[in-house]
Amino acid sequence: MLANERTALVGEKCVLVPYLKRHVEQYNKWMQSPELLELTASEPLTLEQEYEMQRSWREDENKCTFIILAREQLDQQVTPENALTHKMAGDVNLFFNDHDDPHSAEIEIMIAESCYRRKGLGLEALRVMITYAFQSLSVKHITAKVSKSNQGSIQLFTSQLGFVQTGYSEFFEEVTLEKQLNENALRGKTSCGQQDGHMTLASFETLALDEENLDF
């Protein structure tokens, strides 16, 4: 998606940046892992195919992709000049596949580097992405499809983010989770204004990346 090609979203633990050529080689290495291929229901690509995928996803207005970078030195200020220097940890994506509802999107996340799992990085990346989707892309309804074997992700979406299970595919062995987005839902409140414990709204800084570092 061209809308986010120059945008970085800076959270406390992570920085979300557009998927650039500089990221392709590492991403391709990740996607040779049988574990990650199974969890993401993907097929391995050659490096050349991965570069083509990066180009096509950038231009596809039905896909919004951010690479998740880990902030290892939390006291270091993130600037347009250094935002891309942090270590790659995974990616988070939005897919606008419902042509009858332009305000609906499917979200997908992968923390590829095992050293960054179970440290709150994925949760923050999801909160930042969901908030960005609501505030900048006018998303009002969000869906996640997760393999039934990935109980960690299912618990993350349901217990931490307030998604509810609305379906199950026996063929794909995956559950469908959904959440309606509005100000109350993002702030962890019911329609009556009561707290429900599922705070989704994220506080983050939006940066316009330094043009000299953008390799599309």
Side-chain angles (χ1 to χ4, degrees):
M1 179 177 282
L2 298 177
N4 74 315
E5 67 175 356
R6 290 173 170 79
T7 301
L9 309 178
V10 183
E12 292 182 3
K13 298 180 179 181
C14 67
V15 183
L16 305 188
V17 299
Y19 185 23
L20 302 172
K21 286 182 180 178
R22 66 171 65 206
H23 301 130
V24 172
E25 187 172 346
Q26 179 60 57
Y27 195 92
N28 184 250
K29 289 179 181 178
W30 285 342
M31 300 312 293
Q32 306 308 307
S33 162
E35 176 196 13
L36 294 178
L37 290 172
E38 179 180 357
L39 289 175
T40 59
S42 302
E43 295 293 331
L45 300 178
T46 65
L47 185 57
E48 182 179 357
Q49 289 172 325
E50 200 74 67
Y51 274 109
E52 179 56 37
M53 182 74 74
Q54 181 267 333
R55 286 191 293 269
S56 67
W57 279 32
R58 171 179 172 263
E59 297 170 357
D60 191 338
E61 290 304 303
N62 292 321
K63 296 181 177 68
C64 179
T65 296
F66 281 102
I67 295 295
I68 304 170
L69 306 181
R71 293 186 63 181
E72 296 186 319
Q73 297 180 354
L74 301 182
D75 58 342
Q76 180 186 28
Q77 182 181 3
V78 179
T79 68
E81 292 74 29
N82 70 20
L84 293 168
T85 63
H86 300 269
K87 187 175 179 181
M88 289 175 63
D91 72 329
V92 61
N93 307 280
L94 289 173
F95 302 96
F96 294 84
N97 297 324
D98 189 342
H99 300 296
D100 294 325
D101 184 1
H103 301 294
S104 180
E106 180 181 339
I107 194 166
E108 181 182 274
I109 188 170
M110 174 181 71
I111 301 298
E113 295 289 344
S114 59
C115 62
Y116 293 120
R117 296 174 187 166
R118 298 178 180 86
K119 293 185 176 180
L121 196 73
L123 177 59
E124 183 182 69
L126 283 169
R127 282 178 168 155
V128 170
M129 185 61 139
I130 291 170
T131 304
Y132 174 77
F134 177 72
Q135 295 178 343
S136 299
L137 302 177
S138 301
V139 174
K140 301 294 191 295
H141 173 257
I142 200 155
T143 301
K145 295 181 180 180
V146 185
S147 168
K148 73 172 186 179
S149 64
N150 193 349
Q151 288 299 312
S153 286
I154 293 173
Q155 286 297 312
L156 177 66
F157 278 104
T158 56
S159 299
Q160 298 290 325
L161 297 171
F163 280 65
V164 295
Q165 182 173 337
T166 58
Y168 174 71
S169 168
E170 292 187 3
F171 182 81
F172 293 108
E173 295 188 330
E174 66 182 14
V175 298
T176 298
L177 309 168
E178 298 185 31
K179 184 180 179 76
Q180 298 295 330
L181 299 185
N182 52 55
E183 288 292 344
N184 274 341
L186 287 172
R187 296 181 184 279
K189 295 182 179 181
T190 66
S191 58
C192 299
Q194 301 296 315
Q195 290 290 335
D196 67 6
H198 298 132
M199 180 69 171
T200 310
L201 187 69
S203 176
F204 59 89
E205 180 183 5
T206 302
L207 297 180
L209 292 168
D210 186 355
E211 292 284 341
E212 293 184 0
N213 294 325
L214 295 175
D215 53 337
F216 300 123

